[in-house]
Amino acid sequence: MKMKIETGLFDHMVLQRNRKNVSDAIFSGSTTINGDVFARVTRGGKVVEGWKRRLVGTVADGTVKGRLHGIPTGGPYDIELFVCKPEGGQR
């Protein structure tokens, strides 16, 4: 299943920081499967602490809604988003 991010995130984006100096980016899009949206964030091939599999959003009726909050300064990072069905099956 492909997830299409339509607003809030794009390739090679510089994430803006809030007053606490961490990311706070809202995103939305579409996909064909309902479930929870998780993020995995890596830097130089290594997982950033706390970002191996963090819940960042949901999909309902094909609409993706989420928020990347708390990624620390110090990128560049690779961010992978994926959907898991509520019963735990990753797609």
Side-chain angles (χ1 to χ4, degrees):
M1 300 291 150
K2 294 253 182 184
M3 181 186 326
K4 182 178 180 182
I5 301 301
E6 296 159 349
T7 64
L9 298 174
F10 55 88
D11 288 343
H12 309 290
M13 178 179 185
V14 174
L15 293 174
Q16 298 302 307
R17 306 294 168 182
N18 63 19
R19 290 184 180 123
K20 294 182 181 180
N21 209 27
V22 294
S23 68
D24 196 11
I26 294 172
F27 62 91
S28 64
S30 60
T31 189
T32 58
I33 185 169
N34 292 332
D36 295 323
V37 179
F38 292 87
R40 179 176 189 254
V41 179
T42 58
R43 180 174 185 234
K46 295 182 181 179
V47 174
V48 174
E49 185 176 340
W51 285 94
K52 182 176 182 179
R53 181 186 164 111
R54 184 178 287 190
L55 179 64
V56 295
T58 60
V59 181
D61 298 323
T63 300
V64 176
K65 292 182 181 181
R67 179 179 177 204
L68 286 176
H69 178 77
I71 298 174
T73 59
Y77 295 113
D78 289 311
I79 301 170
E80 176 186 4
L81 300 174
F82 54 96
V83 177
C84 290
K85 290 182 178 182
E87 58 272 7
Q90 182 177 334
R91 296 291 239 161

